[in-house]
Amino acid sequence: MHTAIYAVLIALVLVIIGLAAKTLLGPKKGSKNTVLITGLPFAGKTTIHYLINYGKSVDTVTSIKENEADVELVPGKAPLHIVDIPGHERLRFKFSEFMPIARAVVFVVDSATVARQTRLLAEYLYDILANRFAQNEKLPILIACNKSDLITSFKKERIQSLLEAEINKLRQTRTAALDTQDADGNENVFLGFEGQDFTFQDLENEVEFIECSAENKDMEAVKDWMAAVCY
Amino acid sequence: MATYLYHNHSPNLELRDDIVFVELNPSQEYRSSILSGLRPEIVMEICTRAISFWTYQTAQEARFQEMTQKSLEDKLSALEKQLQKMTRDVNAELSGFRDTVGNLQKELEQEKRRGVDLSEQLDEKSRQLSKVQNMYDRQKRRPLFPLATEPPHSQIVMPSLPSWNPYNLYRTASAIQNPVGMEASRPPPAGAMLNKSVDAAAEPTIHTIYHPTQGHLGSPPRPFSPPAPMPVFGGPRRVDALPGGVYSGNSISQRFGGLVLWSKAYGPVQSSPINSLIQDVLIEERASTQIYYKDNYALKWTFINELDLVFIVVYPKSLGLTYIDTLLQAASSRFSDLYGERILRKSGGVPQLKDWGVEFEALLQTIEDQDALSKKSKQPRKFEQTVGYTNSLAFAKAKPEENANKAALLDEEMYQRNIEALKKKSGGSPRMTSRRANKAKSPAGSPVIGSENKKSKEARTWDGKISAKDAKSLDYSNSEGSNIVNADHLVDQSGMGQHSKDGTYNVADLDDNEDDESYSDDESEEEYTKISARSLQAKKPAASSGLMSFFKNMTGQKEMTPETLEPIMSKMKEHLVNKNVAADIAQHLCDSVAKGLVGQTLGSFKSVQAHVKQSMETALKRILTPKTSVDLLRDIAQAQAENRPYTIVFIGVNGVGKSTNLSKTAFWLLQNNLKVLIAACDTFRSGAVEQLRVHVRNLKALEQNAVVDLYEKGYGKDSASIAKEAIASAKQTKHDVVLIDTAGRMQDNDPLMRALAKLVTVNNPDKIIFVGEALVGNEAVDQLTKFNAALKDYSGLANPRHIDGMILTKFDTIDDKVGAALSMTYTTGQPILFVGTGQTYTDLKNMKVSHVVQSLLRE
């Protein structure tokens, strides 16, 4: 009896080790397949994450930890690893930890509050665009204008022009900022072309704007974009 | 003469006082006709009479006027008096009301105090009980080991009781439990369960929650805090007394990932206190506090770290609900029992929580009804028949009496009696054995998730029950019978739980009785009460996953408990203090991090130390990462667009480098083609103005076409007004930025702090920058809190200003002892804008968070 149990145990151990090896080594072996979902607090990142991965709309509060999931967007293809990064300023450093493995970034914007938050949005977006990995690998970036169901929401063209104007100012101030202590100096990239107003077309990254609504479970466009970019 | 008769009115004068006014206005003709031809004497006579009559009339009139005046005055005074009286009445009424309110408040306070006293008593008694229990357990163990049976032995044991150390015992206990294939027959030390319960109680969670309203927040955890109390007093009754709609509680279980697993509101909740809790407390690593107030709500929470879950209860802060902690504990342990497996398995998904609503309702109901125990005494109670129960009861009863008199001295008789009782029970002490058997049952000994943790929780519950029993028994007469009955209610209540739930913390275990059957057959001994069976049940789900835990043990996976963390955390704290972090802050931070670690399991090849270090790193990053924009230039651009100068005030204690870093900042701004005006508001220290003048001269020399000017008014003037003039002049001369230099002041210097608050209030600068030395240690906290407090208290504004950012100077002198950066950001929650790293104008840098974190953690 005991031997039987142990045999089972050993078999299980082997299976578990196999699984662990797969999960540990899997993502690193293949090409990058991680999509980051990020944005300001209350933009609807976690809701979108659960909609895309589990097709459920859920109640959420401010996230403390990132949510991760693997989802097969296109049946038969390798699953995408989707990470929802908390939006709170204090936790923002997490996005730079995930950038090295990112394949694409979804930047979620609350279309209804965009006018009030333009500067915050632009600053975060600037950090993402100016990130070394985003620059080197020309990561595609989707700006998902969530909450388009609200009457007060802005159209995506309006959001784009607001962000462009703000980033235009920011790139002046950011490049003029003081060096950091150990001054490796490689983080001060200049977005777009000097002497011209900033537009997203100037970037080498592919930047797209899509209107969506987590409230109406209207996520198809975002999913399509992910699939198009990653496969 | 008749022709010239004057036609007279014929007035009717009815009253004596009546007066008739007649305008006679006689013609000249008439006058002369009357007096003509008369002798001069007669004319004189007539005139005299006429005049005297007129005089008389006038006098009469005057008197009449006087009288009218007097009557009016009387009337006025009467009215005044009336008014006064009314005012007095109203005032009296008002003060009466006030008194009533005061009395009510006093009563409330008294009630509260009494509640605290009672809970303290309970506290004390449960401690006594646990001591007795411990002794009892030892006694019980004696008969099991033949050598130890004689009474003399137990006497020897006794004196050591006061110094009984749970940690030691715990270590031995867990050492015995850990071997996986332990035979069922081998009895673990009977003290194990109890020790663990006390251990668990020493965890800060429970302890601080226990006195949440006593201002114990943040006080260091007492080593022996009582187990979670059963809310027998006050609390529940209060809720019952309230009319339906007033109690709006809200309970939520939440994943760290932001997903709300389940929530239930008993009333409308305005705003979103939960988001505030997460943003203000949990993310800021301030979780070492136990209660959080937001608007009208009080929030309490508890973590299940192994599942990444937070349980949050929101209730109106005006209700001093005392059972919230119990509810949280009970709900969380019940929840992890029921759904822990599933959540772990489906990590990431949306777990289905069917039945949890019902479970929770019942749990809440039980807890709220706890004080209505007596009503339910008719229910069948099986526990009372337990031998162990009677035994412990006897002890519980006897012990407190003794204890009340002398500290912890039991007499020999006591022991004898106990041992006899034990022998009578034929050695099989029901409760403990059942536990043991229970443990033996689950082959791996520990469930997949947080085996240690769970056990400790159960144990705690158990202890809590005892303590409640104890309290009960003390409350009532000493006769054993009555005691049993009373205590029984309590036990029954929790154990039987009509709806199969109970309010107590342990209840969680007990709830599982639905699937009893599977177990009951195993425990053939009759003494195993329903309770024991149930508590076994509680472990059942864990047992199903026993294999996993077996592997985890095999591969060296271990769970972190407060005990394993404690030495590492204290080392970590010491390390941080050595890095110049303020001691208080190091303590808070370590507590908070430890709280987030307890219950987590470690991977096979990871040392606890490395794991602690990693989560400390994350915590440090969180704290140091600014939560607001630090892009000063962007702010200035905004001000330019609004066509006003951007003002920055530099404050700080003496000699930290305010003027120096002000000029460094000016240099940087000048490089960005901004026009800078420096306001010399240090009108106190001699040479301060001259120092700035030299800086301005240097800056002008350094940069071609640089626009930098000094606004100065000499010494001894009011700095607030100089600043105001400077800003006004900057607006006219189109300067972009005004940098205001202030005199250094010690944080304890009240008049100077008032002057500073005035300067800030009058000028409402865009940024208030605190300049602090990186060399400062514990002092940093004091400086910042006092500066902030002064800005707040002396401003007289509804929304007072606070420090917006900091410059850390002399950063080049401290090597890797960068603790001040952490102390300052943790104290204020504000970012460090720049660090000063040298003597030249270019030695002003942005702080790099990762650099500071690395320095802090470097050995």
Side-chain angles (χ1 to χ4, degrees), chain B residues 60-85:
Chain B
Q60 283 293 329
E61 202 174 320
R63 205 163 337 137
F64 172 72
Q65 291 290 355
E66 264 169 33
M67 267 173 59
T68 327
Q69 189 195 349
K70 211 196 269 173
S71 76
L72 279 174
E73 268 169 8
D74 284 354
K75 224 182 259 177
L76 182 69
S77 71
L79 279 173
E80 256 168 18
K81 242 177 255 168
Q82 209 176 332
L83 181 69
Q84 273 174 5
K85 203 182 144 212

Side-chain angles (χ1 to χ4, degrees), chain B residues 492-746:
Chain B
D492 243 355
Q493 183 70 6
S494 50
M496 306 304 304
Q498 217 95 355
H499 316 282
S500 83
K501 2 256 140 183
D502 33 12
T504 55
Y505 174 57
N506 0 356
V507 176
D509 308 347
L510 300 178
D511 278 25
D512 273 18
N513 56 3
E514 296 100 75
D515 8 35
D516 270 17
E517 331 75 60
S518 61
Y519 252 126
S520 48
D521 56 343
D522 284 324
E523 318 302 336
S524 53
E525 294 168 56
E526 288 192 6
E527 282 154 359
Y528 293 149
T529 58
K530 190 132 199 196
I531 286 226
S532 66
R534 269 189 232 130
S535 58
L536 279 174
Q537 268 329 111
K539 293 200 174 163
K540 180 93 205 272
S544 68
S545 63
L547 285 183
M548 277 301 276
S549 74
F550 172 77
F551 285 120
K552 281 190 178 168
N553 280 339
M554 288 276 285
T555 53
Q557 266 194 356
K558 44 200 176 273
E559 182 185 308
M560 278 177 282
T561 61
E563 292 69 42
T564 53
L565 283 172
E566 211 259 359
I568 296 167
M569 273 352 260
S570 70
K571 218 180 277 172
M572 179 59 82
K573 188 199 155 194
E574 200 178 315
H575 175 76
L576 287 177
V577 171
N578 283 337
K579 294 285 182 184
N580 213 6
V581 176
D584 288 0
I585 287 171
Q587 183 66 53
H588 278 296
L589 190 57
C590 287
D591 287 351
S592 176
V593 169
K595 224 173 162 187
L597 282 175
V598 171
Q600 284 188 4
T601 40
L602 280 179
S604 341
F605 306 109
K606 235 169 154 187
S607 77
V608 180
Q609 214 139 1
H611 194 71
V612 168
K613 201 167 169 181
Q614 194 186 342
S615 42
M616 181 59 86
E617 186 182 333
T618 317
L620 292 177
K621 271 192 189 167
R622 266 195 218 170
I623 293 167
L624 289 166
T625 306
K627 68 176 169 188
T628 51
S629 170
V630 291
D631 195 343
L632 212 56
L633 290 175
R634 179 66 188 81
D635 290 339
I636 293 170
Q638 189 64 38
Q640 271 178 321
E642 291 164 20
N643 207 8
R644 64 183 177 88
Y646 189 84
T647 49
I648 306 176
V649 177
F650 290 76
I651 64 176
V653 300
N654 309 72
V656 291
K658 281 180 301 303
S659 309
T660 312
N661 282 283
L662 178 141
S663 48
K664 284 182 196 171
T665 312
F667 176 74
W668 170 59
L669 294 174
L670 289 172
Q671 282 184 314
N672 288 300
N673 298 320
L674 295 167
K675 296 172 196 151
V676 179
L677 182 69
I678 298 176
C681 292
D682 182 354
T683 56
F684 189 66
R685 177 175 64 93
S686 49
V689 177
E690 286 76 8
Q691 185 188 1
L692 286 176
R693 197 175 294 144
V694 171
H695 276 309
V696 168
R697 203 183 59 208
N698 291 348
L699 289 170
K700 272 185 175 156
L702 273 171
E703 284 281 317
Q704 295 294 318
N705 309 325
V707 182
V708 50
D709 297 297
L710 180 68
Y711 189 93
E712 52 139 321
K713 281 283 183 249
Y715 294 96
K717 301 270 172 47
D718 176 24
S719 52
S721 57
I722 296 181
K724 193 156 188 70
E725 290 164 25
I727 294 169
S729 113
K731 196 162 188 178
Q732 289 196 335
T733 52
K734 304 267 178 235
H735 283 88
D736 299 312
V737 186
V738 183
L739 302 178
I740 299 172
D741 186 32
T742 65
R745 59 204 80 207
M746 296 310 289

Side-chain angles (χ1 to χ4, degrees), chain B residues 286-568:
Chain B
R286 283 163 211 265
S288 56
T289 56
Q290 257 70 29
I291 190 164
Y292 171 74
Y293 297 105
K294 175 76 183 175
D295 301 333
N296 296 321
Y297 302 106
L299 287 91
K300 284 190 176 184
W301 64 94
T302 186
F303 298 119
I304 307 181
N305 289 316
E306 59 266 41
L307 303 179
D308 276 357
L309 278 171
V310 193
F311 282 76
I312 301 171
V313 172
V314 186
Y315 58 98
K317 71 178 170 196
S318 47
L319 302 181
L321 298 185
T322 50
Y323 61 82
I324 293 297
D325 311 314
T326 325
L327 175 67
L328 271 176
Q329 292 299 339
S332 61
S333 64
R334 181 94 185 98
F335 188 90
S336 67
D337 283 350
L338 284 180
Y339 305 105
E341 296 288 312
R342 215 178 307 160
I343 288 175
L344 272 191
R345 234 182 6 246
K346 270 185 82 173
S347 66
V350 189
Q352 293 300 316
L353 304 175
K354 39 176 166 26
D355 303 340
W356 174 246
V358 187
E359 289 277 348
F360 180 80
E361 277 300 324
L363 213 75
L364 181 66
Q365 192 62 40
T366 335
I367 290 177
E368 281 187 354
D369 287 353
Q370 207 104 60
D371 73 336
L373 280 180
S374 47
K375 280 179 212 156
K376 304 189 178 173
S377 60
K378 286 158 212 151
Q379 292 163 6
R381 52 200 93 95
K382 292 185 180 161
F383 191 57
E384 116 193 64
Q385 291 145 13
T386 331
V387 191
Y389 170 71
T390 345
N391 258 342
S392 62
L393 201 74
F395 271 93
K397 197 194 75 195
K399 176 69 201 216
E401 289 167 19
E402 299 252 286
N403 243 7
N405 298 336
K406 346 173 180 173
L409 288 184
L410 291 174
D411 49 19
E412 220 176 333
E413 236 178 88
M414 208 23 196
Y415 278 105
Q416 296 283 13
R417 230 195 312 152
N418 296 338
I419 285 164
E420 272 169 29
L422 272 172
K423 279 178 181 159
K424 241 187 280 163
K425 294 342 168 199
S426 77
S429 91
R431 209 170 349 114
M432 282 310 166
T433 328
S434 70
R435 286 271 167 184
R436 230 177 288 142
N438 174 12
K439 203 151 292 153
K441 278 252 118 191
S442 60
S446 50
V448 173
I449 9 138
S451 60
E452 292 286 325
N453 200 33
K454 246 197 217 162
K455 273 181 209 154
S456 73
K457 272 175 189 163
E458 281 173 16
R460 206 186 311 159
T461 1
W462 195 84
D463 209 5
K465 199 191 301 166
I466 293 283
S467 71
K469 239 191 279 171
D470 185 9
K472 267 285 170 184
S473 69
L474 283 168
D475 283 348
Y476 293 91
S477 75
N478 280 337
S479 83
E480 208 158 332
S482 69
N483 251 339
I484 291 172
V485 174
N486 285 328
D488 234 350
H489 303 318
L490 259 176
V491 173
D492 243 355
Q493 183 70 6
S494 50
M496 306 304 304
Q498 217 95 355
H499 316 282
S500 83
K501 2 256 140 183
D502 33 12
T504 55
Y505 174 57
N506 0 356
V507 176
D509 308 347
L510 300 178
D511 278 25
D512 273 18
N513 56 3
E514 296 100 75
D515 8 35
D516 270 17
E517 331 75 60
S518 61
Y519 252 126
S520 48
D521 56 343
D522 284 324
E523 318 302 336
S524 53
E525 294 168 56
E526 288 192 6
E527 282 154 359
Y528 293 149
T529 58
K530 190 132 199 196
I531 286 226
S532 66
R534 269 189 232 130
S535 58
L536 279 174
Q537 268 329 111
K539 293 200 174 163
K540 180 93 205 272
S544 68
S545 63
L547 285 183
M548 277 301 276
S549 74
F550 172 77
F551 285 120
K552 281 190 178 168
N553 280 339
M554 288 276 285
T555 53
Q557 266 194 356
K558 44 200 176 273
E559 182 185 308
M560 278 177 282
T561 61
E563 292 69 42
T564 53
L565 283 172
E566 211 259 359
I568 296 167

